[in-house]
Amino acid sequence: MPAERLRVLPTIRKAVFPAAGLGTRFLPATKAQPKEMLTLVDKPIIQYSVEEAAAAGIDHVVLVTGQGTKLVEDHFKINAELEALLESRGKGDLLAEVRSVPCPASISTVQQGEPLGLGHAVILAHELIGDEAFAVILSDDVIDATPPALRQLIDVYEKLDGPVVGVERVSADRISDYGIVDAEPVSNHAGVYRIHDMVEKPTREDSPSDLAIVGRYILTPDIFPILDTTPPDAQGEIQLTDALRQLLTGRPIYACEIDGVRHDTGSKLGFLRATAYFALKHPDLSDTFREYLRKVGVNRPAGN
Ligand code: G1P
């Protein structure tokens, strides 16, 4: 077998979590805490995607945070004092809950002083990522999937040897909220597309398709020099979509339609839906919460 056929792609070990958004849609709750720390049932939003990353084999988490958001980093570190207290009080069940928070082998934080966009957040992680392929996870997009959404992307990366973005079909009225790809299916790979073009938040009329980029990416290090020269958009933000569009001129990029249930917890309605979804799946809550929802539905005044 020729040597290049034996070449094994390195697995994806590092993931960047941009978490410096101002969370303005959730003010005043986000006045002093990052939106990633808002609770969905009993876990902060960001824990869902850190768990997903851990299940996909990620052992180095790079958090790109806003100023004064050490809270996120602390959440994923062992809290020895709290554990000792729970242990001394015989609270074994609570201790198990605290210990179930994933503690990645390595967790690093970079400060994004100004909100200059997703592309800028990725640039800031360059030094910690180095010269290897890596994942980017937008934790607003909470995805319940088996295998985990990120694992689905890594599988495509390992088979096709190119950057991969997670996509999902969205309704026409949501198109302008997303990066949209123009892509064609790859034969013999269900749910995988080769991207021809991509555009950030097009109007419904100008959109090339209904395949929207959701917050999961596998990127290769050749994205960094492109990001460094990507001009900011009209809002002054460096868009990752613009850099990927440029990268497309030199190599194939793939889209993987994620098989799972995604919640956009960046909007109030999406956050509430996700809360209901995970409450209905929670072993201690599902029956009583279902009963509550039934009651609320039954007692709803006519016409609402
Ligand atoms: C970002 C990306 C966009 C993508 C979206 C997914 O936009 O720029 O391409 O579709 O995340 O959530 P944002 O929602 O940060 O404005």
Side-chain angles (χ1 to χ4, degrees):
M1 189 179 285
E4 63 271 20
R5 295 277 302 277
L6 290 171
R7 190 167 70 93
V8 177
L9 286 169
T11 49
I12 306 293
R13 301 181 306 122
K14 298 181 180 179
V16 179
F17 290 76
L22 297 176
T24 47
R25 280 189 274 185
F26 287 93
L27 282 169
T30 48
K31 189 177 163 214
Q33 67 168 336
K35 69 173 178 205
E36 291 75 14
M37 291 303 288
L38 297 179
T39 310
L40 268 186
V41 185
D42 52 8
K43 295 190 274 194
I45 290 176
I46 195 167
Q47 187 174 329
Y48 289 82
S49 48
V50 172
E51 284 175 356
E52 174 192 325
I58 299 293
D59 58 13
H60 187 156
V61 163
V62 178
L63 297 168
V64 183
T65 63
Q67 262 154 8
T69 50
K70 200 172 156 293
L71 274 179
V72 186
E73 190 177 346
D74 285 350
H75 183 72
F76 296 104
K77 286 185 173 161
I78 291 170
N79 183 337
E81 229 168 83
L82 176 63
E83 290 190 13
L85 186 78
L86 293 173
E87 200 154 22
S88 70
R89 292 188 179 173
K91 305 274 189 198
D93 48 345
L94 292 180
L95 185 61
E97 289 288 348
V98 169
R99 286 188 174 154
S100 74
V101 179
C103 290
S106 163
I107 180 157
S108 321
T109 307
V110 209
Q111 293 279 322
Q112 187 176 23
E114 288 175 276
L116 296 179
L118 176 57
H120 180 245
V122 175
I123 294 173
L124 292 175
H126 187 178
E127 216 175 296
L128 290 160
I129 296 298
D131 192 29
E132 61 184 278
F134 63 101
V136 174
I137 298 190
L138 308 186
S139 56
D140 273 2
D141 281 319
V142 175
I143 308 178
D144 186 29
T146 310
L150 191 64
R151 186 68 245 170
Q152 296 178 32
L153 265 71
I154 293 174
D155 286 346
V156 175
Y157 167 73
E158 287 174 350
K159 282 183 195 131
L160 298 177
D161 189 9
V164 187
V165 300
V167 294
E168 184 184 285
R169 292 195 186 276
V170 294
S171 55
D173 59 318
R174 304 296 311 280
I175 276 176
S176 58
D177 294 336
Y178 294 95
I180 304 288
V181 302
D182 177 14
E184 69 172 325
V186 174
S187 50
N188 301 323
H189 294 277
V192 181
Y193 302 80
R194 180 162 173 178
I195 298 176
H196 294 307
D197 201 359
M198 55 212 301
V199 51
E200 182 68 9
K201 304 196 174 93
T203 59
R204 185 198 292 211
E205 295 71 33
D206 292 341
S207 185
S209 79
D210 62 350
L211 276 177
I213 301 172
V214 296
R216 302 290 181 277
Y217 305 79
I218 301 297
L219 302 178
T220 43
D222 47 1
I223 196 69
F224 290 119
I226 295 177
L227 277 168
D228 286 340
T229 57
T230 300
D233 66 5
Q235 280 72 47
E237 296 194 351
I238 298 172
Q239 295 299 343
L240 181 57
T241 305
D242 292 343
L244 283 168
R245 188 164 194 253
Q246 178 62 32
L247 184 62
L248 256 184
T249 60
R251 69 180 299 166
I253 301 180
Y254 300 96
C256 166
E257 200 169 351
I258 293 171
D259 183 12
V261 179
R262 180 182 69 97
H263 296 281
D264 172 12
T265 66
S267 77
K268 275 185 188 142
L269 189 59
F271 181 85
L272 287 174
R273 282 189 180 144
T275 303
Y277 177 90
F278 287 107
L280 286 169
K281 284 192 84 173
H282 194 290
D284 298 342
L285 293 171
S286 76
D287 290 349
T288 42
F289 189 59
R290 194 177 303 278
E291 179 58 20
Y292 168 75
L293 288 180
R294 202 184 58 79
K295 261 199 216 152
V296 176
V298 168
N299 295 334
R300 196 171 51 184
N304 280 351

